[in-house]
């Protein structure tokens, strides 16, 4: 009876996993409506370290989510409580386990398979690590109440020109190709040149437009360069969708105005495409945006520190002399 109950429990778990996986596949195409797609990209900007499947699941169930955690995590780690009646967001969590399997024994010296006296391979039992998945429920911060959370460490672009310069420098350092600023004739705000593997940005644009254009062209340089696999060549429209989506996610994450982004064309682009192809593009967008966000966040503190050091070196120190007239004092170790 116990064994029967065990199998019944395992079957229920398998059925639930199958159910949520099927909903996931069905939901992918639904995302490619302009408003839903924008909401999905916002979800990526908040949960860029999550897996593609879980990001889609969060976007499908609660597109306005900003910070999620399990029921007990909210209580134990944040001193907050899930409000009564709130419905959890179901996502997939890895559940690693070990499995014993019989493998052919290999001679440690000759590296050849060892045979018994009858010439058959000798088998030995070993454990291998496997990963299964289980459904867990998480809750968004808006579904909880309690102790206020400390300010999250998201770096936002401010109106301060120094911060703008920091962000531009972080973008430059986050990409392996050279970036130059030039007068570009015509309507283009910038472009990525595959032949020279370089990015050119139009001068004289607003700070916001310059940043958006840089991120868009950086995405092209990462995704659509000469190393692009011949087996997965993408049409021009797909390349633009991917680059523009990456730019939106990164800008949204750093608090840069995204009100002028429009995805009205997204339904037409996705029409007729296989779910696997759509998921591949979603995964590409998420991975690229995630790496770029991480690179920028890692670069910004270093750049700020370098700028501060340079500013300190250029600021003279004043002391009051006998005649009360300021004199420049040369600080030891500082080049004046």
């Amino acid at each position: 009876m116990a064994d029967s109950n065990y199998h019944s429990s395992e079957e229920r778990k398998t059925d639930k996993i199958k159910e949520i996986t099927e909903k996931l596949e069905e939901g992918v195409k639904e995302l490619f409506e302009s408003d839903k797609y924008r909401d999905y990209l916002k979800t990526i900007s908040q949960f860029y370290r999550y897996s593609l499947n879980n990001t889609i699941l969060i976007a499908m169930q609660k597109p306005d989510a900003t910070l999620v955690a399990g029921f007990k995590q909210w209580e134990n780690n944040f001193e907050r409580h899930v409000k009564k009646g709130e419905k959890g967001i179901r996502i997939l969590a890895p559940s690693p386990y070990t499995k014993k399997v019989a493998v052919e024994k290999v001679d440690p010296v000759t590296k050849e398979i060892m045979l018994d006296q009858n010439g058959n391979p000798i088998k030995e039992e070993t454990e291998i690590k496997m990963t299964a998945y289980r459904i867990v429920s998480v809750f968004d911060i808006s579904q909880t109440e309690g102790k206020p959370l400390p300010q999250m460490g998201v770096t936002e672009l401010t109106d301060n020109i120094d911060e703008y310069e920091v962000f531009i420098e972080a973008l430059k350092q986050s990409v392996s190709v050279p970036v130059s600023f030039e007068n570009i004739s015509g309507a283009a705000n910038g472009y990525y040149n595959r032949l020279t593997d370089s990015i050119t940005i139009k001068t004289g644009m607003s700070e916001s437009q310059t940043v958006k254009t840089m991120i868009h062209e950086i995405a092209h340089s990462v995704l659509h360069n000469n190393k692009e696999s011949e087996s997965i060549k993408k049409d021009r429209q797909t390349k633009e969708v991917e680059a523009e989506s990456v730019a939106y996610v990164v800008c949204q994450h750093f608090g840069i105005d995204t009100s002028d982004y429009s995805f009205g064309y997204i339904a037409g682009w996705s029409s007729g495409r296989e779910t696997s192809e759509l998921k591949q593009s979603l995964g590409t967008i998420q991975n690229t945006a995630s790496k770029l966000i991480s690179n920028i966040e890692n670069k910004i503190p270093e750049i700020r520190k370098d700028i501060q050091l340079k500013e300190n070196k250029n600021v003279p120190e004043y002391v009051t002399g006998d005649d009360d007239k300021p004199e420049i004092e040369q600080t030891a170790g500082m080049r004046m």
Side-chain angles (χ1 to χ4, degrees):
M1 179 66 72
D3 187 56
S4 174
N5 289 337
Y6 171 78
H7 284 294
S8 177
S9 175
E10 288 301 304
E11 286 171 1
R12 284 197 298 271
K13 288 180 182 178
T14 302
D15 289 342
K16 287 182 178 179
I17 294 289
K18 183 179 178 183
E19 177 191 350
I20 199 170
T21 303
E22 287 175 351
K23 284 184 178 179
L24 183 65
E25 294 300 311
E26 292 170 6
V28 168
K29 290 203 172 187
E30 293 179 11
L31 291 177
F32 291 94
E33 298 172 13
S34 57
D35 290 338
K36 286 187 178 180
Y37 187 70
R38 186 184 289 105
D39 288 339
Y40 169 70
L41 295 182
K42 287 179 182 178
T43 303
I44 295 181
S45 76
Q46 296 288 344
F47 304 102
Y48 64 95
R49 289 192 176 95
Y50 277 51
S51 69
L52 172 65
N53 285 343
N54 281 339
T55 306
I56 294 173
L57 287 170
I58 293 171
M60 288 170 59
Q61 297 170 77
K62 194 167 181 58
D64 60 341
T66 58
L67 180 65
V68 300
F71 190 95
K72 289 296 183 183
Q73 283 179 304
W74 280 119
E75 291 187 343
N76 299 334
N77 299 344
F78 303 102
E79 297 181 43
R80 294 181 67 85
H81 308 277
V82 175
K83 299 173 187 176
K84 187 176 180 180
E86 290 290 347
K87 186 178 180 181
I89 305 165
R90 297 196 304 168
I91 63 173
L92 298 169
S95 181
Y97 67 97
T98 58
K99 181 180 180 181
K100 291 184 177 181
V101 295
V103 297
E104 295 174 341
K105 192 171 183 179
V106 177
D107 188 294
V109 177
T110 65
K111 305 300 180 184
E112 294 181 352
I113 297 174
M114 299 176 66
L115 306 176
D116 59 21
Q117 59 185 6
N118 296 320
N120 298 318
I122 299 174
K123 298 290 184 83
E124 62 179 352
E125 194 175 70
T126 186
E127 288 187 344
I128 59 172
K129 292 182 179 180
M130 306 285 287
T131 301
Y133 288 89
R134 59 191 176 92
I135 298 173
V136 298
S137 288
V138 293
F139 298 85
D140 181 55
I141 186 172
S142 63
Q143 298 175 287
T144 69
E145 56 190 4
K147 184 178 179 180
L149 290 185
Q151 287 294 318
M152 305 305 291
V154 175
T155 304
E156 292 189 358
L157 180 67
T158 68
D159 292 332
N160 187 296
I161 190 66
D162 292 334
E163 285 297 293
Y164 168 71
E165 291 173 348
V166 167
F167 200 85
I168 290 294
E169 184 60 30
L171 283 174
K172 286 182 178 179
Q173 293 186 21
S174 298
V175 67
S176 59
V177 304
V179 179
S180 62
F181 293 83
E182 300 176 12
N183 289 321
I184 300 176
S185 59
N189 291 330
Y191 57 87
Y192 165 66
N193 190 325
R194 289 183 63 180
L195 296 177
T196 60
D197 200 22
S198 62
I199 293 171
T200 303
I201 304 298
K202 186 176 184 178
T203 57
M205 297 189 296
S206 68
E207 294 179 358
S208 177
Q209 187 60 59
T210 299
V211 167
K212 293 172 185 178
T213 302
M214 280 187 70
I215 298 172
H216 182 101
E217 300 308 330
I218 285 172
H220 276 309
S221 74
V222 173
L223 297 173
H224 313 131
N225 53 40
N226 291 323
K227 297 173 185 173
E228 186 181 0
S229 173
E230 292 292 334
S231 62
I232 53 169
K233 284 293 184 183
K234 300 171 183 176
D235 57 65
R236 182 176 178 80
Q237 193 177 12
T238 299
K239 291 179 179 180
E240 288 303 314
V241 166
E242 291 179 351
E244 191 72 346
S245 299
V246 169
Y248 182 91
V249 171
V250 176
C251 288
Q252 181 74 24
H253 178 81
F254 287 105
I256 302 166
D257 181 26
T258 54
S259 60
D260 59 345
Y261 277 87
S262 175
F263 295 99
Y265 56 84
I266 206 74
W269 168 78
S270 63
S271 178
R273 296 179 188 263
E274 296 292 331
T275 302
S276 58
E277 184 182 357
L278 295 175
K279 281 193 74 173
Q280 184 181 55
S281 278
L282 292 179
T284 296
I285 291 163
Q286 178 159 346
N287 290 337
T288 306
S290 177
K291 289 177 183 176
L292 190 51
I293 288 170
S294 296
N295 286 342
I296 294 169
E297 290 188 332
N298 290 335
K299 296 292 182 184
I300 283 178
E302 300 171 8
I303 295 168
R304 281 179 175 154
K305 187 176 179 181
D306 289 342
I307 290 176
Q308 188 64 46
L309 287 172
K310 289 176 182 177
E311 288 177 349
N312 289 341
K313 285 183 179 181
N314 292 325
V315 175
E317 294 188 16
Y318 293 94
V319 296
T320 303
D322 293 336
D323 57 358
D324 288 333
K325 291 181 179 179
E327 296 177 356
I328 296 177
E329 181 186 65
Q330 185 140 345
T331 306
M334 183 178 290
R335 296 178 62 186
M336 306 299 287

